Amino acid sequence: MRRVGAGTAKTLEKLERSVEAGNYYEAQQMYKTVYARYMAAGKYTEAMDLLQSGASVQLKHGQVTCGVELGVLLVETFVKAKESFGSSVLARVKSIFKEFPHVPHQKWESEGDGASEAYIAAKTRVEGCSTFMKAAIKWCIESGGPSRGPAELHDMLAEYLCAESPNMDLRKASFHFVRGSHPDAYAAALVAYMDMYHPEDADLLLAQGVLMYLSLGNLRDANLLVDKVKQTLSGKSQDFPVTPLMHFIKFLLLTLERDAVPLFQMLRENFKSSIGQDPSFDDLLDEIGERFYTIHRRNGLQGMLNDLLKMFATDT
């Protein structure tokens, strides 16, 4: 955070002491009261400093719900203050993100009435972090940043989801991994997930990741993902899956390196039963056909709506 004025610094210190004393609710209300005063006076920078500090302090003390509320309010303030995308705003987001609690994995009780307090706390952490980071990514896209959001924010959220989710759904983390820049981290997460949850679905999980990369036009990282998974499995003396679906992925990656529309279509037809193992694969292949060969989707409007839904309506 930038250097703040003496008056603001005094206010922040007073509020931080209140949080440290365990008066979380009272401090939260005071943060919002002071914020309203700053906004009414047009003191946008002071308001953003206040929210950044408040969110960080609350998160540092394990108050995820309070921290997320202030963090999301900060993102909303970027809009009101007409902030432009840039490193200073990203620094605010990253400073809050780093304060989200990290708790070592443990054996979680199942969700429902018998769910443990630890399970519920983990779920709250993950949902809160996702809410804040997705709000920040959305703001970046709408304020002159990368069209898919900053890769570093996607990477941060993907790795947090993998590390902290009590019952991880890899598909949710995958959405962010493929928009990030760390296929090696994605490969490590894939192998860990295969070992922990679904070793029998190794080919489906890897195919999903490859197709998601390709649907974004990223042939390089799709190939890197396969190579990194092979290396990781080899280092663990585990076999790389050899299935018809993996044969399809191998041929698809080779096909997309050249102008070969008939071969692409033939592959889809010949491996139809393997592709049909996951309902999402056909939609991803439609996107890949459009991306690499300008083969129009059956319903272009539906495709655009699906993109928006996937970007901003994925639950965690």
Side-chain angles (χ1 to χ4, degrees):
M1 189 167 66
R2 71 181 188 94
R3 189 172 182 178
V4 299
T8 302
K10 188 174 180 181
T11 300
L12 296 182
E13 288 170 11
K14 179 181 178 181
L15 290 169
E16 186 170 353
R17 285 197 299 271
S18 181
V19 174
E20 288 172 349
N23 300 318
Y24 307 121
Y25 177 78
E26 292 84 350
Q28 187 77 354
Q29 299 312 305
M30 186 56 68
Y31 275 117
K32 292 193 287 186
T33 299
V34 176
Y35 166 75
R37 284 192 209 135
Y38 281 151
M39 292 298 287
K43 296 182 176 181
Y44 297 126
T45 301
E46 289 83 352
M48 290 186 286
D49 288 341
L50 176 83
L51 293 174
Q52 180 183 340
S53 174
S56 298
V57 170
Q58 290 281 29
L59 289 170
K60 195 180 295 183
H61 287 80
Q63 301 304 300
V64 173
T65 301
C66 290
V68 170
E69 182 183 19
L70 297 180
V72 171
L73 191 55
L74 173 62
V75 175
E76 293 171 0
T77 305
F78 294 159
V79 178
K80 295 173 183 176
K82 297 182 179 178
E83 288 285 302
S84 298
F85 174 80
S87 59
S88 61
V89 177
L90 277 181
R92 290 186 186 276
V93 173
K94 289 189 281 189
S95 74
I96 292 173
F97 171 82
K98 74 178 184 180
E99 300 299 344
F100 274 90
H102 290 266
V103 177
H105 263 302
Q106 55 184 289
K107 185 176 180 181
W108 306 99
E109 293 179 25
S110 60
E111 187 172 4
D113 292 339
S116 67
E117 287 186 16
Y119 177 96
I120 294 168
K123 205 162 184 288
T124 299
R125 286 194 303 275
V126 169
E127 290 176 352
C129 184
S130 183
T131 295
F132 169 65
M133 291 297 283
K134 286 198 288 187
I137 290 168
K138 183 176 184 290
W139 176 84
C140 290
I141 292 169
E142 295 173 348
S143 303
S147 61
R148 295 182 189 126
E152 58 188 315
L153 298 191
H154 283 296
D155 285 326
M156 290 158 62
L157 178 53
E159 292 181 33
Y160 192 86
L161 291 174
C162 288
E164 300 297 327
S165 295
N167 285 333
M168 190 178 77
D169 181 345
L170 188 66
R171 193 179 297 261
K172 293 167 185 174
S174 296
F175 177 88
H176 297 286
F177 270 126
V178 299
R179 288 162 176 79
S181 57
H182 293 159
D184 51 343
Y186 187 15
L190 269 171
V191 173
Y193 187 81
M194 293 171 190
D195 289 347
M196 193 179 302
Y197 297 105
H198 298 290
E200 72 282 1
D201 291 336
D203 60 339
L204 284 168
L205 293 168
L206 179 53
Q208 179 191 85
V210 169
L211 294 177
M212 289 176 77
Y213 270 127
L214 293 175
S215 71
L216 300 177
N218 192 343
L219 181 58
R220 184 199 66 178
D221 284 350
N223 277 293
L224 279 173
L225 182 66
V226 174
D227 291 342
K228 293 291 185 182
V229 168
K230 283 181 179 177
Q231 290 173 16
T232 305
L233 289 174
S234 176
K236 294 161 62 75
S237 299
Q238 293 177 235
D239 294 328
F240 185 80
V242 180
T243 65
L245 183 58
M246 285 294 95
H247 289 313
F248 168 71
I249 291 297
K250 176 184 176 181
F251 295 141
L252 178 64
L253 290 170
L254 292 171
T255 299
L256 294 177
E257 292 177 358
R258 52 185 62 81
D259 187 7
V261 176
L263 183 54
F264 174 75
Q265 293 172 327
M266 184 181 74
L267 281 173
R268 291 192 68 172
E269 184 61 33
N270 290 349
F271 286 91
K272 186 180 290 185
S273 61
S274 297
I275 295 167
Q277 293 178 76
D278 188 307
S280 71
F281 286 177
D282 264 320
D283 286 338
L284 288 169
L285 285 164
D286 285 344
E287 294 177 36
I288 293 164
E290 185 173 36
R291 179 80 59 178
F292 285 86
Y293 299 123
T294 63
I295 301 171
H296 295 298
R297 300 185 199 180
R298 299 182 190 93
N299 187 333
L301 178 60
Q302 186 61 47
M304 287 188 288
L305 290 173
N306 285 342
D307 287 345
L308 289 171
L309 288 171
K310 284 186 289 184
M311 177 66 81
F312 302 124
T314 50
D315 295 327
T316 55

